[in-house]
Amino acid sequence: MSTASASSAQDSRAPRSILLRALATDYDGTLAHDGAVPETTIAALQNAKRAGLRLILVTGRQVPELAKIFPQLAWFDLAVMENGAVLYDPKTGGSELLAGAPPSEFVKRLHEHGLPLQLGQVIVATWEPHETEVLEAIKEFGLELQVIFNKGNVMILPSGVNKATGLRKAAEKLGLDVSEVAGVGDAENDHAFLDVCGLSVAVANALPSIKKQVDMVTRGDHGQGVEELIAWLLAQKDPTL
């Protein structure tokens, strides 16, 4: 295995011979810092798209809230939303549910406990330290649900649904294998999808557990790290760049 140039990453265990045709990126903490994406990162995404890389967003967010703050969502070939539960096509504006929502009685019980909730088409989300009440409600109703953490966020989803299952579906729709996808992320809920990518990357601000898992760690944090990754990927496509 070879090492990426010092300008693109501080560590790499990625083989250069791998064929990478797509970039899958998390949003918060990866592309975005405090919800905003730098102009230089937006320009890098444009460069990637012009060079023929397919773009896949993989996020825990819901479509309406993200579309309001990130109009460049329309550039992406597909978006895996709600942490793998929804597949969104920016070209058509259509969404495909990849799982069923929890029963209304369960959500009502969380409301009765006074939990602050965000409700998507499938996902139910709250914040730490409310995971205890969530787990108690799951047990009470005998539901096959899982709790996924994301830097203080507590996401409730059907068992087996995560960013990896969503990415696999997106790759299939685009005629890709996940081994042809470079993935980049920063937090607990990114473990699953980074594990299945042909190249896994962590931005510099990622959790230590993520950095230990991946093939490459960028020098820059947040969007700057994604810019480095894109430059590295384009250099693999055209060594003269």
Side-chain angles (χ1 to χ4, degrees):
M1 293 187 181
S2 58
T3 303
S5 66
S7 63
S8 64
Q10 57 179 265
D11 177 55
S12 174
R13 299 182 292 276
R16 288 182 182 268
S17 59
I18 193 169
L19 174 63
L20 296 167
R21 299 170 55 198
L23 169 66
T25 176
D26 170 53
Y27 187 76
D28 292 286
T30 303
L31 268 185
H33 191 183
D34 294 331
V37 181
E39 290 297 325
T40 51
T41 308
I42 290 172
L45 289 171
Q46 278 188 309
N47 290 338
K49 194 167 183 66
R50 290 191 189 112
L53 282 175
R54 311 302 293 272
L55 299 180
I56 306 170
L57 193 69
V58 188
T59 177
R61 286 203 186 229
Q62 301 163 38
V63 174
E65 64 170 346
L66 187 56
K68 287 180 182 178
I69 63 172
F70 186 54
Q72 292 78 18
L73 177 60
W75 298 354
F76 284 73
D77 294 278
L78 287 173
V80 177
M81 310 297 295
E82 300 193 20
N83 212 72
V86 176
L87 188 61
Y88 174 68
D89 187 340
K91 297 180 185 64
T92 66
S95 295
E96 178 183 352
L97 301 189
L98 304 180
S104 58
E105 293 83 0
F106 169 76
V107 176
K108 180 180 178 182
R109 184 54 49 87
L110 297 183
H111 277 301
E112 290 172 350
H113 282 301
L115 270 64
L117 297 179
Q118 286 187 339
L119 304 178
Q121 296 181 81
V122 176
I123 197 171
V124 176
T126 185
W127 294 269
E128 295 181 13
H130 297 295
E131 63 272 17
T132 301
E133 294 100 315
V134 169
L135 291 170
E136 288 175 353
I138 291 173
K139 183 177 180 181
E140 175 187 350
F141 287 97
L143 300 174
E144 192 174 0
L145 298 174
Q146 62 181 335
V147 174
I148 299 177
F149 295 92
N150 177 24
K151 289 187 173 179
N153 292 322
V154 178
M155 298 177 288
I156 304 105
L157 289 158
S159 182
V161 174
N162 55 40
K163 287 188 174 184
T165 59
L167 178 62
R168 287 187 185 278
K169 186 67 173 180
E172 178 186 338
K173 291 272 188 180
L174 295 174
L176 299 168
D177 188 271
V178 286
S179 65
E180 299 174 298
V181 179
V184 57
D186 75 302
E188 302 101 312
N189 62 326
D190 295 324
H191 275 291
F193 98 92
L194 292 176
D195 270 345
V196 302
C197 288
L199 175 70
S200 57
V201 181
V203 286
N205 57 287
L207 297 177
S209 61
I210 294 290
K211 291 181 179 180
K212 289 179 182 178
Q213 166 195 352
V214 297
D215 301 310
M216 181 187 294
V217 178
T218 65
R219 292 186 183 278
D221 58 68
H222 301 89
Q224 288 186 340
V226 179
E227 294 169 36
E228 291 175 20
L229 172 59
I230 289 172
W232 189 89
L233 290 169
L234 297 187
Q236 309 314 299
K237 290 174 68 69
D238 184 354
T240 64
L241 292 176

